[in-house]
Amino acid sequence: MTAKFINIILVFFILSASISAQEIYKLQSPNGEINYRVSNNAGAINYEVSYGNEKIIMPSSLGFRFKNQPELRNLTFVDSGTISFREVWQPVWGQTKNILNEYNELTVTLEEKEIPMRRIRLIIRAYDDGIAFRYHFDKQKSENYFEIKDELTNFNFADNYSAWWIPNDYDSEEYLYRNSELDKMMGISTPVTLETKNGTCIVIHEAELKNYASMTLEKNGYPENSFRSVLVPWEDGTRVKLTAPFDTPWRVIIITPNAEKLISSNLILNLNPPSPEGNYDWIKPGKYVGVWWAMHLDKESWSIGPKHGATTENLKRYIDFAYENNIDAVLAEGWNKGWEMWGKGNGAFSYTEPYPDFDIEDISNYAKSKNISIIGHHETGGYYLNYENQLDEAFKFYKKYGINIVKTGYAGPIQPSGYHYGQKMVEHYNFVMEKAFQYKIMLDVHEPIKQTGMSRTYPNLMTAEGARGMEWNAWSSGNTPEHVTVLPFTRCISGPLDYTPGIFDLKYDLYKQDEFVKSTLANQLALYVVLYSPFQMAADLIENYKEKPAFDFIKSVPTNWDTTIALKAEIGDYIVIAREKDNYWYIGAVSDEERRELKIKLDFLKPGEYLMKSYSDGEDADYINNPYSLNIKEEKISSNQEYIIRLASGGGFACKIERIKK
Amino acid sequence: MTAKFINIILVFFILSASISAQEIYKLQSPNGEINYRVSNNAGAINYEVSYGNEKIIMPSSLGFRFKNQPELRNLTFVDSGTISFREVWQPVWGQTKNILNEYNELTVTLEEKEIPMRRIRLIIRAYDDGIAFRYHFDKQKSENYFEIKDELTNFNFADNYSAWWIPNDYDSEEYLYRNSELDKMMGISTPVTLETKNGTCIVIHEAELKNYASMTLEKNGYPENSFRSVLVPWEDGTRVKLTAPFDTPWRVIIITPNAEKLISSNLILNLNPPSPEGNYDWIKPGKYVGVWWAMHLDKESWSIGPKHGATTENLKRYIDFAYENNIDAVLAEGWNKGWEMWGKGNGAFSYTEPYPDFDIEDISNYAKSKNISIIGHHETGGYYLNYENQLDEAFKFYKKYGINIVKTGYAGPIQPSGYHYGQKMVEHYNFVMEKAFQYKIMLDVHEPIKQTGMSRTYPNLMTAEGARGMEWNAWSSGNTPEHVTVLPFTRCISGPLDYTPGIFDLKYDLYKQDEFVKSTLANQLALYVVLYSPFQMAADLIENYKEKPAFDFIKSVPTNWDTTIALKAEIGDYIVIAREKDNYWYIGAVSDEERRELKIKLDFLKPGEYLMKSYSDGEDADYINNPYSLNIKEEKISSNQEYIIRLASGGGFACKIERIKK
């Protein structure tokens, strides 16, 4: 460790009007490009951030208001300390094999000059790809219990940036992203992604959200482009209730010179603590099929009845398919008692009582005999206490049958009251995650709390929803082609996304004549590379994969990677991502509703000759009239050539590249 | 007209620090209960509102910021005038036959002291049930073109009221209402309904939104309980572009002593100009059935194909049913070319080309022969220009076939860009309304701009959606029982709601096994009284009405009323409404998920004996397990008795009362 890049400057001004000290600390990123400055002007604490010559955050307030304690007054900087840190760590699974975690850290201790003399430490980290800061509440000399009424962290952006955002509904992130300048942005959820006129990309998010309320942003009336953090409230209006010592989540400002580099940022993960020492062989990424899309098509039902989906017979059919097609796991939704009470006003789900037509012993034995995992399912319907009360029994029940992957769901309002993203539910989601960790159960959380990199510490938190996924295509005006060109730069920055791609019967007229998936077939394949998740579903009815050569790509594509590079991207227009696993490269590219040609360099490959098997849109393909037109082609390519990817309207491109051995 | 209640006080203070005039004007409601005060302190214009001894709005700013003009500076009050107004007017249709419109009005003219010397008039009206104010931009001495960057109208509420609200999505109001105190409320759409600790009810909304952007509210960081108006923006960030002279919409603060009285407020209608003199015999309220619910159940499709709903044969079946059951009209959705392009990225709808299996001539002749109206349908899919371009032809086409009711739809994002609630679309919705008026076409607007009482001026604007309606029960977790106990006090305050009640097959397991309507059968009947609309749909598949005695109530219930009284209500818990037409009284009552007994007095009836035919929940009814349990009963009642209404969980009560002739 060295401290050579750390610059700490402490300046005192004597103001003419009053005897008041202005103190300033500065912190720089290892490469010197990102600069953070925090100042104290008579107790008003402000920070600002710049990137090279570009101002990013103008002076913006920090602090708190409390419900049960007096306002903070006369804060002074009483102490400071700095460290430099550098490590390279290996995630259990992820988008890259090795992650560099290098930062300079500054801690400034603030204390009130007079009783109650509260102490709060501000901890700031400067990385080459962004800034993060958090508040640490020390054990106090007086009252340690804090009811936070407002966190006064503001973000006064330096310009009217272009923003990609979704509204700050406190319960759902299932929206299409909107693109507007900041001055037209409403209250929003994070991550929110901004682009400056120079092309600099900025993401505001948080990291390590463990026992605090989730942060949303709302516009201030003035000044222009000024936003404040608004924490999702408890029922009584308090935002957070905690006893010191405690930390707030990290407030994160990712900054990269362009959109492509955003994809490579590991800042959110880096801000979380490492996972405990131990053997993580029980955690395995993989692909799955399951009883799911059929329900969204109303072909089958979750609840018991003539159309019930999760039957022993149906599960075996899926297990056979998985076995024959290099798929690792089979999901069973609608297997347990309680679905017949769906939407009926109480927490009726039992997590230990299968429906009579779902013979869990028979199914799990059959799966075991074929080396296929069963993915269990725990829908709560928002009745989180009913789930907590059964949690140990629920996990034990599954473990008894060798089931160690569970998809959870929180569809519907939190009952009897509360928001999905308030402190209470943050604690619940993390309680389930920790409990699952103890039981060695991997999780796929739907209607989740937003991801904040906690899978670094708990690598059993595999993937999550928290976005408008595939199912919206089954019963709404659907997702625009643009949607999947925005997700990599917004939702996916926070962590893996269980989007559930791979619909081959894109029109499903047999079930839903008016709805369809706004994508070509090649686009569906590309999503396995474009939208990272360690669990990837092949979401269609399995009969639709029969004798489809395109399915070979899904069979082959990994769900865990050694290298990830975004080759070319414009947020909301297109993205080309290359990923490598064990020296096999895969490229995924998707376009919005525009047809386009993208020239890429292949120099990310080690010098040499390669064989590329590609799945590209046919000349006549488009997502409306001809989504199935697909060219599958094998060709020789060289690392020193350029390659032109042709994308149809709503189109995609997917390929696998392997070295030609000499 | 008299001015006896008007108090105008003009006060000058000389402030010690600077030579500055503070000017104050006051205005009182006719009954003296509501007081408005506007002050000018060195160019900072503030207003405040009180109700009896209760402060409602603390001093809150007024004003504007412009994009193309300098800030307003040194505004002074240069002139003022007052009038008192009283009229009783008769709507073409509505909840009451006679409407009292009585107010005191104050106009204060503001002018800049120096160049460009802009003039803005503030017009305030005080009614017994609320306050409204608007800005009038006079023709200016200099630049008349204004690009409004922000309207600075604030609402600094006097206390942390309980609020019923939906998020301020700029495109949709299809949300369940949330109840929280103000300090937990996010950015919201109006109308928003507040309740003080005294039980006083307040609704913030707007009236006569004709060529301006829709107003939403967002919280200010400080002070507490302070909200500012945020107008829905244009693509370039401007909120409104207008050339003086022009008026803003009215900013409306309805204030009533309790929830029941809110239902009787006609303030929103009163703030709109009367309709032009003329014969309005062509405007007729009524009931309808139609090809609609079948599509939401995926039984039929909008687009052509094997499941196509709007076929000649199916329409004739509906016409026969309407003819036999006292239903006035039949809706046909999915009749025209373009549905096969639904969601496919362009404005493909033709409004003059029926699908080949929809013989419009045959259908309209058949309907005419049975004296049934056809309700036409114009879905735009958000492609409003495609609709505008065809509008004359579209209306002419329908008129040719004698069709003079049109349901319009704007599902999906506005294309190629913009928000449903921005100025551009406000102008579009009103353009269509005015055009329809010229063609003598009645409108039922879905995905509409919010209603602001414009049906007073254009009584062909019959009803609208703009709420989370019945269809959500077909493909989501559905609407809670509570929802219909909130709508009368929120969405319905703005104008009629086409909620489309009357589902008799509440479980529809044949089509959707997991979804159902969260309501008893009696609740469905009660909605015809509880949720006012001059067009009311009997929304179920007609086969579900066959031989159902409960359908007698739908056959009988009017859609136009002489008197409306809310007898008893708690927002979000229950409501009992009585309505009268031609001396027949109807009562509708609905409950949330609680079972309850409500004792009502019948003294709203003229003294005498009556026969009541009631439809009430069976003893064992509840919306989950036993929604169909219904008692139909005829009994003698007296105007001087009390009556106990028993409501099941998710239940309802509906009755018809007629005088027993001596």
Side-chain angles (χ1 to χ4, degrees):
Chain A
M1 284 189 208
T2 84
K4 68 177 174 175
F5 292 116
I6 307 247
N7 297 294
I8 307 296
I9 299 168
L10 185 53
V11 186
F12 286 90
F13 293 96
I14 303 299
L15 299 180
S16 55
S18 62
I19 309 297
S20 159
Q22 180 168 22
E23 301 153 278
I24 296 171
Y25 288 94
K26 293 182 179 177
L27 178 70
Q28 226 173 37
S29 61
N31 67 4
E33 285 296 309
I34 298 182
N35 281 278
Y36 183 96
R37 182 185 143 113
V38 58
S39 64
N40 183 359
N41 190 348
I45 317 294
N46 279 279
Y47 76 99
E48 51 197 291
V49 178
S50 64
Y51 176 59
N53 295 322
E54 207 175 357
K55 283 188 188 302
I56 302 294
I57 308 276
M58 305 301 282
S60 299
S61 70
L62 298 171
F64 293 91
R65 297 171 68 221
F66 305 109
K67 205 169 165 182
N68 68 330
Q69 295 201 22
E71 300 285 298
L72 288 167
R73 278 187 313 166
N74 287 329
L75 282 174
T76 51
F77 288 171
V78 293
D79 193 15
S80 74
T82 63
I83 55 170
S84 285
F85 183 87
R86 184 191 158 95
E87 67 171 349
V88 174
W89 61 280
Q90 284 77 39
V92 176
W93 47 261
Q95 303 189 63
T96 56
K97 192 174 181 174
N98 295 302
I99 294 179
L100 171 66
N101 182 18
E102 184 181 20
Y103 59 82
N104 294 327
E105 181 178 289
L106 164 67
T107 300
V108 180
T109 305
L110 296 116
E111 193 179 70
E112 285 175 308
K113 279 184 201 160
E114 52 203 88
I115 284 168
M117 296 189 72
R118 285 165 294 188
R119 277 176 88 102
I120 298 174
R121 274 186 279 169
L122 183 64
I123 304 168
I124 309 116
R125 288 189 186 168
Y127 294 77
D128 286 349
D129 57 350
I131 282 284
F133 56 92
R134 79 183 336 165
Y135 305 89
H136 174 84
F137 281 64
D138 280 305
K139 196 157 165 50
Q140 304 294 322
K141 290 171 184 161
S142 51
E143 178 62 52
N144 278 308
Y145 178 63
F146 288 88
E147 292 189 342
I148 297 175
K149 193 172 188 170
D150 276 307
E151 179 183 317
L152 303 180
T153 307
N154 271 23
F155 298 88
N156 297 342
F157 297 106
D159 198 2
N160 191 13
Y161 301 140
S162 176
W164 292 94
W165 53 274
I166 53 173
N168 69 333
D169 189 325
Y170 293 162
D171 282 302
S172 171
E173 295 160 289
E174 303 195 14
Y175 292 93
L176 295 176
Y177 281 81
R178 296 175 180 184
N179 181 216
S180 75
E181 289 176 332
L182 281 179
D183 63 4
K184 283 164 274 170
M185 190 164 81
M186 303 187 303
I188 52 142
S189 296
T190 76
V192 58
T193 301
L194 315 175
E195 201 168 356
T196 77
K197 289 181 181 69
N198 298 334
T200 303
C201 284
I202 303 163
V203 175
I204 308 296
H205 193 45
E206 56 187 313
E208 207 190 4
L209 173 59
K210 65 181 172 198
N211 56 1
Y212 203 81
S214 175
M215 178 178 79
T216 72
L217 298 185
E218 290 187 12
K219 211 174 340 183
N220 292 312
Y222 311 95
E224 295 287 314
N225 312 320
S226 165
F227 288 77
R228 66 182 183 285
S229 58
V230 171
L231 305 178
V232 176
W234 283 83
E235 290 84 335
D236 67 359
T238 312
R239 308 286 161 163
V240 172
K241 305 174 187 188
L242 278 174
T243 299
F246 65 86
D247 286 302
T248 71
W250 291 98
R251 303 325 184 188
V252 184
I253 305 164
I254 302 175
I255 306 170
T256 63
N258 55 46
E260 290 86 346
K261 285 284 195 307
L262 264 191
I263 303 298
S264 311
S265 174
N266 289 303
L267 186 43
I268 301 289
L269 282 175
N270 277 333
L271 287 161
N272 280 269
S275 44
E277 292 289 319
N279 181 333
Y280 292 108
D281 288 351
W282 55 278
I283 298 179
K284 291 191 195 78
K287 284 169 282 190
Y288 70 104
V289 292
V291 181
W292 179 77
W293 185 241
M295 274 88 93
H296 288 287
L297 295 181
D298 291 315
K299 175 181 185 257
E300 296 171 3
S301 72
W302 278 276
S303 54
I304 194 140
K307 295 205 291 186
H308 187 216
T311 64
T312 306
E313 187 192 348
N314 208 14
L315 262 290
K316 287 187 177 176
R317 201 168 64 88
Y318 273 83
I319 292 165
D320 288 341
F321 178 86
Y323 176 72
E324 290 155 14
N325 289 281
N326 194 32
I327 299 290
D328 305 285
V330 172
L331 167 70
E333 289 202 7
W335 66 279
N336 58 327
K337 284 188 187 163
W339 283 97
E340 71 287 357
M341 293 292 286
W342 178 244
K344 291 177 183 166
N346 65 33
F349 286 109
S350 164
Y351 302 104
T352 51
E353 293 174 276
Y355 276 135
D357 56 355
F358 184 88
D359 184 339
I360 190 165
E361 185 157 5
D362 187 10
I363 291 165
S364 59
N365 285 336
Y366 190 74
K368 228 169 291 170
S369 77
K370 305 218 161 187
N371 199 26
I372 299 296
S373 299
I374 296 294
I375 302 182
H377 186 235
H378 288 162
E379 176 57 50
T380 67
Y383 293 87
Y384 73 104
L385 282 176
N386 175 53
Y387 186 38
E388 273 188 19
N389 292 338
Q390 296 182 57
L391 195 55
D392 273 295
E393 292 312 310
F395 283 161
K396 280 181 197 163
F397 181 79
Y398 268 153
K399 291 298 279 192
K400 188 168 76 182
Y401 295 105
I403 295 170
N404 58 11
I405 310 172
V406 176
K407 177 177 174 180
T408 58
Y410 297 83
I414 298 303
Q415 301 291 348
S417 67
Y419 295 116
H420 282 72
Y421 307 151
Q423 184 185 7
K424 179 176 77 178
M425 286 303 294
V426 168
E427 289 174 352
H428 168 81
Y429 285 110
N430 289 333
F431 173 75
V432 174
M433 177 182 72
E434 291 174 31
K435 183 72 83 178
F437 186 80
Q438 290 160 17
Y439 280 97
K440 299 192 174 177
I441 282 177
M442 292 171 269
L443 289 179
D444 171 5
V445 187
H446 280 236
E447 300 84 28
I449 183 65
K450 62 185 169 189
Q451 291 194 68
T452 57
M454 296 190 71
S455 64
R456 180 178 180 192
T457 316
Y458 295 93
N460 65 313
L461 176 61
M462 306 297 286
T463 188
E465 192 186 37
R468 192 164 146 132
M470 182 64 75
E471 69 275 19
W472 283 79
N473 290 309
W475 34 255
S476 79
S477 58
N479 298 340
T480 55
E482 180 184 87
H483 189 48
V484 294
T485 73
V486 180
L487 285 171
F489 305 99
T490 51
R491 164 62 185 79
C492 295
I493 298 298
S494 69
L497 167 61
D498 191 34
Y499 187 76
T500 62
I503 301 301
F504 274 28
D505 177 16
L506 294 152
K507 303 287 191 183
Y508 35 89
D509 282 341
L510 194 56
Y511 307 106
K512 301 253 180 172
Q513 208 176 298
D514 298 304
E515 290 83 11
F516 69 108
V517 179
K518 283 142 198 80
S519 149
T520 66
L521 183 53
N523 180 293
Q524 289 294 306
L525 299 180
L527 295 180
Y528 289 85
V529 183
V530 168
L531 303 175
Y532 177 65
S533 176
F535 289 151
Q536 286 282 26
M537 189 173 198
D540 208 344
L541 311 175
I542 49 177
E543 52 267 36
N544 293 328
Y545 295 134
K546 294 262 162 75
E547 289 160 30
K548 296 281 165 57
F551 195 68
D552 289 343
F553 183 78
I554 298 179
K555 285 191 205 177
S556 145
V557 68
T559 54
N560 189 28
W561 303 96
D562 295 339
T563 318
T564 288
I565 312 165
L567 298 177
K568 206 165 197 166
E570 282 290 339
I571 306 176
D573 293 338
Y574 61 85
I575 181 168
V576 187
I577 290 193
R579 301 190 197 260
E580 173 263 335
K581 177 72 184 165
D582 299 335
N583 297 314
Y584 292 95
W585 282 88
Y586 290 76
I587 297 176
V590 290
S591 179
D592 62 0
E593 68 289 349
E594 294 295 324
R595 186 184 169 85
R596 57 182 93 237
E597 293 190 355
L598 301 171
K599 192 186 282 180
I600 56 166
K601 289 184 179 165
L602 299 181
D603 57 4
F604 61 89
L605 298 169
K606 285 183 200 149
E609 302 296 304
Y610 292 81
L611 183 70
M612 174 196 275
K613 182 172 182 188
S614 64
Y615 303 76
S616 58
D617 293 319
E619 252 312 297
D620 53 351
D622 76 79
Y623 76 95
I624 295 174
N625 299 308
N626 201 7
Y628 303 114
S629 173
L630 180 78
N631 294 330
I632 302 179
K633 186 172 162 187
E634 291 195 331
E635 64 195 294
K636 228 170 97 175
I637 57 166
S638 162
S639 59
N640 58 21
Q641 76 171 82
E642 292 185 322
Y643 187 85
I644 293 174
I645 294 176
R646 291 191 175 79
L647 301 171
S649 166
F653 171 86
C655 75
K656 178 180 180 179
I657 299 171
E658 60 186 292
R659 190 80 181 255
I660 297 173
K661 289 175 188 90
K662 288 169 200 151
Chain B
M1 286 191 211
T2 83
K4 68 177 172 174
F5 292 115
I6 308 245
N7 297 294
I8 308 293
I9 300 167
L10 184 55
V11 185
F12 285 89
F13 292 96
I14 303 299
L15 298 180
S16 56
S18 63
I19 310 298
S20 159
Q22 179 169 23
E23 302 153 279
I24 296 171
Y25 287 94
K26 293 182 179 178
L27 178 70
Q28 225 171 39
S29 62
N31 67 4
E33 286 295 311
I34 298 181
N35 281 277
Y36 183 96
R37 180 185 144 114
V38 59
S39 65
N40 182 359
N41 188 348
I45 317 295
N46 279 279
Y47 76 100
E48 53 198 290
V49 177
S50 64
Y51 175 59
N53 296 321
E54 205 176 0
K55 283 188 186 307
I56 302 293
I57 308 274
M58 305 301 283
S60 301
S61 70
L62 297 171
F64 294 91
R65 298 171 68 220
F66 305 110
K67 204 168 165 182
N68 69 330
Q69 295 201 22
E71 301 284 299
L72 289 166
R73 278 186 313 167
N74 286 329
L75 283 174
T76 51
F77 290 171
V78 295
D79 193 15
S80 74
T82 62
I83 56 169
S84 286
F85 184 87
R86 184 190 158 97
E87 68 172 347
V88 174
W89 61 280
Q90 283 77 40
V92 176
W93 46 263
Q95 303 188 65
T96 55
K97 191 174 182 175
N98 295 302
I99 294 179
L100 171 65
N101 182 17
E102 184 180 21
Y103 58 83
N104 295 326
E105 181 178 289
L106 163 68
T107 300
V108 180
T109 305
L110 297 114
E111 195 179 70
E112 285 174 310
K113 281 182 199 161
E114 51 202 88
I115 285 167
M117 297 188 74
R118 286 164 294 188
R119 276 177 88 104
I120 299 174
R121 273 186 280 169
L122 183 65
I123 304 168
I124 310 116
R125 288 187 185 169
Y127 294 78
D128 286 348
D129 57 351
I131 282 282
F133 57 91
R134 79 185 333 168
Y135 306 88
H136 175 84
F137 281 66
D138 280 306
K139 198 157 164 48
Q140 304 295 321
K141 291 170 185 162
S142 52
E143 178 62 50
N144 278 309
Y145 178 62
F146 288 87
E147 292 189 342
I148 297 175
K149 192 172 190 172
D150 277 306
E151 181 183 316
L152 303 180
T153 307
N154 271 23
F155 298 88
N156 297 343
F157 297 105
D159 199 0
N160 191 14
Y161 302 140
S162 176
W164 292 94
W165 53 276
I166 54 174
N168 69 331
D169 191 325
Y170 293 162
D171 282 302
S172 171
E173 294 160 288
E174 302 196 14
Y175 292 94
L176 295 176
Y177 282 83
R178 297 175 180 184
N179 180 215
S180 75
E181 290 177 329
L182 282 180
D183 63 4
K184 285 164 275 175
M185 192 164 82
M186 302 186 304
I188 52 144
S189 296
T190 76
V192 59
T193 301
L194 315 175
E195 202 169 354
T196 77
K197 290 181 181 69
N198 299 334
T200 302
C201 284
I202 303 162
V203 175
I204 308 297
H205 192 46
E206 57 186 315
E208 206 188 7
L209 172 60
K210 65 181 173 200
N211 56 2
Y212 203 80
S214 175
M215 178 178 77
T216 72
L217 298 185
E218 290 186 13
K219 211 175 340 183
N220 292 313
Y222 310 95
E224 296 285 315
N225 312 319
S226 166
F227 288 77
R228 65 182 184 285
S229 58
V230 172
L231 305 177
V232 177
W234 282 84
E235 290 85 334
D236 67 359
T238 312
R239 309 286 162 162
V240 173
K241 305 174 188 190
L242 278 173
T243 299
F246 65 88
D247 285 302
T248 72
W250 292 98
R251 303 321 181 192
V252 185
I253 306 165
I254 302 175
I255 305 171
T256 63
N258 54 46
E260 290 85 347
K261 285 284 194 309
L262 264 189
I263 303 298
S264 311
S265 174
N266 289 302
L267 185 44
I268 301 288
L269 282 174
N270 277 334
L271 286 161
N272 280 269
S275 45
E277 293 287 320
N279 181 333
Y280 292 107
D281 288 351
W282 54 278
I283 296 178
K284 290 190 196 78
K287 283 168 284 190
Y288 70 103
V289 290
V291 181
W292 179 77
W293 185 240
M295 273 88 91
H296 288 286
L297 296 182
D298 290 314
K299 176 181 185 256
E300 294 171 2
S301 71
W302 278 276
S303 55
I304 194 142
K307 297 204 292 187
H308 187 215
T311 64
T312 306
E313 186 191 351
N314 206 16
L315 263 289
K316 286 187 176 175
R317 201 167 65 88
Y318 273 84
I319 292 164
D320 287 341
F321 177 86
Y323 176 73
E324 290 153 16
N325 289 280
N326 194 33
I327 299 292
D328 306 285
V330 172
L331 167 69
E333 289 202 8
W335 65 279
N336 58 328
K337 285 188 187 164
W339 282 97
E340 71 286 359
M341 293 294 286
W342 178 245
K344 293 176 185 169
N346 65 31
F349 285 109
S350 163
Y351 302 104
T352 50
E353 294 173 275
Y355 276 135
D357 56 355
F358 185 89
D359 185 338
I360 190 165
E361 185 155 8
D362 187 10
I363 292 164
S364 59
N365 284 336
Y366 190 75
K368 227 170 289 169
S369 75
K370 305 219 161 185
N371 199 27
I372 299 296
S373 300
I374 295 293
I375 302 182
H377 187 236
H378 288 162
E379 176 58 51
T380 67
Y383 292 86
Y384 73 104
L385 281 175
N386 175 53
Y387 186 39
E388 272 188 19
N389 291 340
Q390 296 182 57
L391 196 55
D392 273 297
E393 291 312 310
F395 283 161
K396 279 180 196 161
F397 180 79
Y398 268 153
K399 291 298 279 192
K400 188 168 76 182
Y401 295 105
I403 295 170
N404 58 12
I405 310 172
V406 176
K407 177 178 173 179
T408 57
Y410 296 83
I414 298 304
Q415 301 289 349
S417 68
Y419 295 116
H420 281 73
Y421 307 150
Q423 184 185 7
K424 179 177 77 177
M425 286 303 295
V426 167
E427 289 174 351
H428 167 81
Y429 285 109
N430 289 333
F431 173 76
V432 174
M433 176 182 74
E434 290 174 31
K435 184 72 82 176
F437 187 80
Q438 291 160 18
Y439 280 97
K440 299 193 175 178
I441 281 178
M442 292 171 268
L443 288 179
D444 171 4
V445 187
H446 280 235
E447 299 85 29
I449 184 65
K450 62 186 169 189
Q451 292 194 68
T452 57
M454 296 190 69
S455 64
R456 181 179 181 189
T457 317
Y458 296 93
N460 65 314
L461 176 61
M462 305 298 284
T463 189
E465 192 186 36
R468 191 165 145 131
M470 182 62 76
E471 68 276 20
W472 283 78
N473 291 309
W475 34 254
S476 78
S477 58
N479 298 339
T480 56
E482 180 185 88
H483 190 49
V484 294
T485 72
V486 180
L487 285 170
F489 305 99
T490 51
R491 163 64 184 81
C492 295
I493 298 299
S494 69
L497 168 61
D498 192 32
Y499 187 76
T500 61
I503 301 301
F504 275 28
D505 176 16
L506 294 154
K507 303 286 189 180
Y508 35 89
D509 283 340
L510 195 56
Y511 307 106
K512 301 252 179 172
Q513 208 176 300
D514 299 303
E515 290 82 11
F516 69 108
V517 180
K518 283 142 199 76
S519 149
T520 65
L521 183 53
N523 180 293
Q524 289 295 305
L525 298 179
L527 295 180
Y528 289 85
V529 183
V530 168
L531 303 175
Y532 177 65
S533 176
F535 288 152
Q536 287 282 26
M537 188 173 201
D540 209 344
L541 311 175
I542 49 177
E543 52 267 37
N544 293 328
Y545 295 133
K546 292 263 164 72
E547 290 160 29
K548 296 280 164 60
F551 195 68
D552 288 345
F553 184 79
I554 297 180
K555 286 189 203 177
S556 146
V557 67
T559 54
N560 189 26
W561 302 97
D562 294 339
T563 317
T564 289
I565 313 167
L567 298 177
K568 205 164 198 163
E570 282 289 340
I571 306 175
D573 292 338
Y574 61 85
I575 180 168
V576 187
I577 291 193
R579 302 191 196 260
E580 173 263 335
K581 178 71 186 168
D582 298 334
N583 296 315
Y584 292 95
W585 282 88
Y586 290 75
I587 297 176
V590 289
S591 179
D592 62 1
E593 68 289 348
E594 295 293 323
R595 185 183 169 87
R596 56 182 95 238
E597 293 190 354
L598 301 171
K599 192 186 280 181
I600 56 166
K601 289 183 179 169
L602 299 180
D603 58 3
F604 61 90
L605 299 168
K606 283 183 200 148
E609 302 296 303
Y610 292 82
L611 183 70
M612 173 196 275
K613 182 174 181 186
S614 64
Y615 303 75
S616 57
D617 293 318
E619 253 311 297
D620 53 350
D622 77 80
Y623 77 96
I624 295 174
N625 299 306
N626 201 6
Y628 302 115
S629 174
L630 181 78
N631 293 329
I632 303 179
K633 186 172 163 188
E634 292 196 332
E635 64 196 296
K636 229 171 97 174
I637 57 167
S638 162
S639 60
N640 58 22
Q641 75 170 82
E642 291 184 324
Y643 187 85
I644 293 174
I645 294 176
R646 290 190 177 79
L647 301 170
S649 166
F653 171 88
C655 75
K656 178 181 183 178
I657 298 171
E658 60 185 292
R659 191 78 182 252
I660 297 172
K661 291 178 186 85
K662 289 166 200 155

